Amino acid sequence: MSNNRKIKVGITHGDPNGIGYEVITKLLEDPRLADLCTITVYGSAKAAAFYRKAMELPQIQLNRVDNAASAREGAYNIVNVVGEDLKIDPGVPSKEAGAAALAALETAVTDMKNGDIDVLVTAPIDKHTIQSPSFTFPGHTEYLETSFTDDEHPGKALMVLCTEHIRVALVTAHTPLSKVPAAITKDAVLERLEQFDRSLRRDFNVPTPRIAVLSLNPHAGENGLLGSEEADIISPAIAEARERRILAFGPYPSDGFFGSGNYAAFDGILAMYHDQGLTPFKTLAMDAGVNFTAGLPYVRTSPDHGTGYDIAGKGKASEESLRAAVYAAIDIYRNRQRYDEAYRSPLKRQEQSQKPSKKPE
């Protein structure tokens, strides 16, 4: 990639009956963003205009294009993925809105695979209304893992919630709580530690990351009184990770770990299940939180909030998490480029530097 070309950012509109268009419009009010990147919104120009007028938001120039390949550099572009007959009903879940969210996602994924966008930022979807024969997943993370990985591009998605000061990854993501204990195995914890360590190095530019591992049971099992997973599964996984030169520590009881501020001493935190990691994260992150899907060959981020049906169309939604998601995607994309260049085979670099230049005939 030329260092002079602006990074191409794709933003899906999410559920059109949620707060997606409000936060996207508020984000694009900042003209400085166009100096940093080229943005293509996947959605509906009709919906964008509806929300702008309904909430009396400033006029945003959206350049209508057929696809991201024809997006105007340094401008705000929009690809219509649904027809003009889209029914917009703020705050009301509907299958039509779910289908519109899926259409944006499918189009953006195709463009990303074709190289027409560099990074993907997804506005929130309704995980129920988006369900269809084409989408049978519990969320974005699992859908993107299936869409972006194959024999040529292997990978396994790892959900990472991040700000500048805290990063939380999950052993189990959208797993029902009743099924979590069975999913916590030594291999699963070790695999996530290896993934997280790689991501901290490559995606977040942390050369020697320190990772804290949370316990599954209260008080880290209290020496087996409240559960044996810590002694039988989590601690052995940590020990093996350290043998592989991963700086993993714990397991720590989640309440005391966050309550004491101990989290500030680590570059990453590995939680066992969704709410164990995300509840304290969102409490600490406020509006700056970003959901990043690590482990995939492409960069995808999203704001760390949901569809916000209760405030949709009321002008109350904050765009700060979406702004943080765009900046994080750009930073991660650049970090990967620098990391891959630095760790590329020295022999290959030498071969390229020694290639004779073509002489004119």
Side-chain angles (χ1 to χ4, degrees), residues 86-105:
L86 173 67
K87 182 182 179 183
I88 304 166
D89 201 353
V92 179
S94 73
K95 293 302 290 184
E96 184 180 8
L102 179 57
L105 192 56

Side-chain angles (χ1 to χ4, degrees), residues 70-345:
S70 54
R72 187 183 303 163
E73 185 174 12
Y76 301 144
N77 306 274
I78 187 166
V79 175
N80 279 318
V81 298
V82 291
E84 291 295 312
D85 58 344
L86 173 67
K87 182 182 179 183
I88 304 166
D89 201 353
V92 179
S94 73
K95 293 302 290 184
E96 184 180 8
L102 179 57
L105 192 56
E106 290 178 329
T107 306
V109 165
T110 298
D111 281 358
M112 177 161 267
K113 288 180 176 179
N114 290 337
D116 296 329
I117 56 175
D118 299 313
V119 300
L120 174 63
V121 180
T122 58
I125 58 172
D126 182 321
K127 294 178 179 61
H128 176 69
T129 62
I130 199 174
Q131 296 297 315
S132 73
S134 301
F135 193 104
T136 57
F137 306 91
H140 274 117
T141 303
E142 295 81 4
Y143 171 82
L144 293 171
E145 179 182 74
T146 299
S147 300
F148 284 151
T149 58
D150 52 34
D151 291 340
E152 185 178 352
H153 301 101
K156 186 172 183 180
L158 174 68
M159 184 184 291
V160 179
L161 279 293
C162 55
T163 68
E164 288 184 13
H165 308 294
I166 182 172
R167 306 175 191 92
V168 178
L170 306 176
V171 176
T172 62
H174 297 121
T175 302
L177 192 56
S178 61
K179 298 180 180 179
V180 167
I184 302 299
T185 64
K186 178 186 172 184
D187 287 344
V189 175
L190 183 59
E191 179 183 44
R192 293 307 197 187
L193 278 169
E194 289 182 316
Q195 281 184 284
F196 199 15
D197 181 74
R198 284 196 300 270
S199 178
L200 289 168
R201 294 172 187 272
R202 183 175 182 237
D203 300 326
F204 295 98
N205 193 30
V206 181
T208 54
R210 291 166 50 86
I211 302 173
V213 183
L214 302 184
S215 63
L216 175 65
N217 298 299
H219 305 292
E222 202 73 82
N223 293 318
L225 182 65
L226 302 178
S228 62
E229 285 86 355
E230 285 71 26
D232 296 342
I233 296 171
I234 301 174
S235 291
I238 292 172
E240 186 164 337
R242 291 184 70 89
E243 291 176 2
R244 300 183 187 187
R245 298 187 177 183
I246 296 172
L247 298 179
F249 304 85
Y252 299 102
S254 179
D255 56 350
F257 180 81
F258 286 103
S260 66
N262 198 18
Y263 65 89
F266 295 91
D267 301 297
I269 301 153
L270 183 66
M272 293 298 112
Y273 56 93
H274 186 279
D275 285 13
Q276 181 190 49
L278 270 59
T279 299
F281 173 84
K282 291 187 177 184
T283 301
L284 294 165
M286 301 296 288
D287 291 331
V290 174
N291 182 353
F292 165 53
T293 307
L296 299 182
Y298 301 96
V299 176
R300 174 260 173 170
T301 63
S302 74
D304 72 346
H305 56 70
T307 54
Y309 284 141
D310 57 325
I311 60 171
K314 298 179 181 179
K316 297 180 178 179
S318 169
E319 76 281 11
E320 289 306 311
S321 185
L322 180 63
R323 178 178 287 109
V326 171
Y327 288 153
I330 292 171
D331 285 344
I332 291 167
Y333 183 79
R334 288 173 171 166
N335 285 339
R336 284 189 176 185
Q337 285 188 313
R338 286 191 288 262
Y339 182 94
D340 292 347
E341 174 62 23
Y343 287 92
R344 195 153 49 95
S345 168

